[in-house]
Amino acid sequence: MLDAALSDTVTRFPVDIQPFKDMIKGMRMDLIKSRYENFDELYLYCYYVAGTVGLISVPVMGIAPESQATTESVYNAALALGLANQLTNILRDVGEDARRGRIYLPQDELARAELSDDDIFTGRVTDM
């Protein structure tokens, strides 16, 4: 069923294949990586798993003919929305991710806050 739905979508709408490939790369990252050293690494992960969803959505949802926005600005906004949603999910799911042995919060920022992986795994709460 899902293959049929995806096949229909890519047939009916001018979607680019690259965001799909990138999304798969992001899913593979979850199989081999459970920590991110800095925000640049985390940003790349967020692009792969969620920014791609925004990029894929634009051709399906379309741009209103009366829109004053450029196509580039619409894609940039869709990308930013996907990234923001993923970052929000990361913050919301710190405990759940920790129970799965994963920490998406950048390691350098945890160190600046004087927090360790163990602090995250044990649910330590600070004022910072």
Side-chain angles (χ1 to χ4, degrees), residues 31-88:
L31 298 174
I32 60 172
K33 192 169 179 74
S34 62
R35 306 285 188 286
Y36 293 87
E37 288 302 316
N38 54 50
F39 188 78
D40 288 341
E41 278 189 15
L42 182 62
Y43 179 92
L44 190 59
Y45 169 77
C46 291
Y47 161 75
Y48 285 130
V49 298
T52 54
V53 175
L55 297 177
I56 292 166
S57 299
V58 172
V60 175
M61 291 189 280
I63 301 172
E66 67 276 5
S67 174
Q68 299 288 320
T70 65
T71 301
E72 181 181 6
S73 70
V74 170
Y75 274 94
N76 286 340
L79 174 60
L81 180 59
L83 295 168
N85 283 334
Q86 186 61 33
L87 290 169
T88 300

Side-chain angles (χ1 to χ4, degrees), residues 115 119 122-128:
L115 293 168
D119 292 328
T122 61
R124 179 174 171 231
V125 177
T126 68
D127 291 334
M128 290 184 83

